[in-house]
Amino acid sequence: MLKRAAPLAGIGAGIAIPIALLAALELAVGMGAVNRALVPAPSAVWTELVAIISRGKLWAPLGDTLSLMFTAYICASVLAVIVGVIMGRSRAAYNLLEPLVEVIRPLAKPALLPPLILFLGIGNEMKLVIVGLAVFFPVLINTIQGVRGVDPVLVDMARTFGYGPGRIATRIVLPAALPFIFTGLRISLGLGLILVVVAEMLAGTGGIGYLIVDMQRSFRVTSMYAWLFILAALGFALNFAFEWLERRLLFWSRQQEKGG
């Protein structure tokens, strides 16, 4: 019973702290200690949030943001896994591509927005590329590490049974590297959401990022905070869904860790 109570107590404290902070902010705004023109009361933000949802204004920008993000996320992740497996298995491929990877990877991806806007404009192509770049490298690096960490005995055994390079990669190497790959995918999910919002803010052509900037420019502060709350809730929901999916798909990995 004590082991079950401890996680519940931690969850309760995690919920209580934000509620206490919001209550303190509500009180401070009500007492005039905080300028409500710059920081509205949480109750006012909640009222605006309910209005946005009830009027159906949420779904179009949310769909724009998610469709762009997941298109870039899926394409970049698949490419990163393929390249990562090749680089992890082939020393020649690693030596060929590693200098290019190490030149581009450390660059802050928002710094690439000006040249991308110059070459691609401010349309969806620019957004897809910048999000794809943000997603690609964490997945690539984790895939390489996962592939290199595969037990050589498994690979040798597969060769003994007549497996070729392709079957070894898909049947042995890739499944064994999945825990590392999923770590990269989880990191990239947050980065993808950040970059798509930044791109929408700069491009000014739709999505949640555009709306946040548009509300700020028109001094609709309460609406701006409501959309910020929506963005925070979206990030939390995506992370929660990814963790749930990871637990379902990689249950065998957790069982091996417990057994080890």
Side-chain angles (χ1 to χ4, degrees):
M1 292 295 292
L2 291 176
K3 291 182 179 180
R4 292 182 180 180
L8 292 176
I11 294 173
I15 296 174
I17 291 174
I19 292 176
L21 291 174
L22 290 174
L25 179 59
E26 182 80 24
L27 182 62
V29 173
M31 295 174 61
V34 176
N35 186 351
R36 67 174 63 242
L38 301 177
V39 183
S43 58
V45 176
W46 178 257
T47 301
E48 179 65 19
L49 177 63
V50 172
I52 290 172
I53 297 173
S54 62
R55 294 170 186 168
K57 295 181 179 180
L58 170 64
W59 310 115
L62 179 63
D64 290 342
T65 297
L66 287 179
S67 62
L68 273 170
M69 189 194 79
F70 277 113
T71 299
Y73 178 79
I74 293 171
C75 293
S77 296
V78 171
L79 180 61
V81 170
I82 294 173
V83 176
V85 171
I86 294 172
M87 291 180 67
R89 294 289 298 158
S90 170
R91 173 58 62 177
Y94 182 85
N95 291 337
L96 177 66
L97 297 176
E98 193 266 346
L100 179 62
V101 170
E102 291 305 316
V103 167
I104 301 176
R105 182 180 65 85
L107 287 174
K109 299 309 174 287
L112 297 176
L113 279 168
L116 287 177
I117 292 174
L118 182 64
F119 285 102
L120 300 176
I122 59 173
N124 289 339
E125 293 82 2
M126 178 272 294
K127 298 175 189 177
L128 290 170
V129 170
I130 193 64
V131 175
L133 286 172
V135 168
F136 180 82
F137 290 101
V139 180
L140 175 68
I141 299 302
N142 278 274
T143 301
I144 294 172
Q145 295 301 318
V147 169
R148 288 185 167 182
V150 175
D151 190 347
V153 175
L154 296 175
V155 177
D156 293 337
M157 186 180 298
R159 289 198 183 102
T160 302
F161 282 99
Y163 280 34
R167 292 186 70 189
I168 290 175
T170 56
R171 300 288 184 87
I172 305 296
V173 174
L174 192 57
L178 276 179
F180 285 87
I181 295 173
F182 266 76
T183 299
L185 289 171
R186 183 179 177 184
I187 295 170
S188 293
L189 186 63
L191 292 175
L193 180 60
I194 292 170
L195 263 296
V196 73
V197 171
V198 171
E200 288 171 345
M201 286 179 171
L202 291 178
T205 55
I208 295 176
Y210 164 72
L211 281 175
I212 292 173
V213 172
D214 186 55
M215 297 299 106
Q216 180 265 329
R217 288 171 178 168
S218 58
F219 297 99
R220 297 169 61 183
V221 179
T222 304
S223 296
M224 181 190 74
Y225 280 103
W227 282 105
L228 282 172
F229 180 86
I230 290 170
L231 183 60
L234 176 61
F236 179 84
L238 288 175
N239 186 68
F240 180 84
F242 190 91
E243 286 186 339
W244 179 87
L245 182 64
E246 184 178 11
R247 285 195 300 269
R248 296 300 183 275
L249 294 179
L250 300 184
F251 63 91
W252 51 268
S253 177
R254 297 178 181 272
Q255 291 174 353
Q256 286 180 349
E257 291 175 1
K258 291 178 181 179

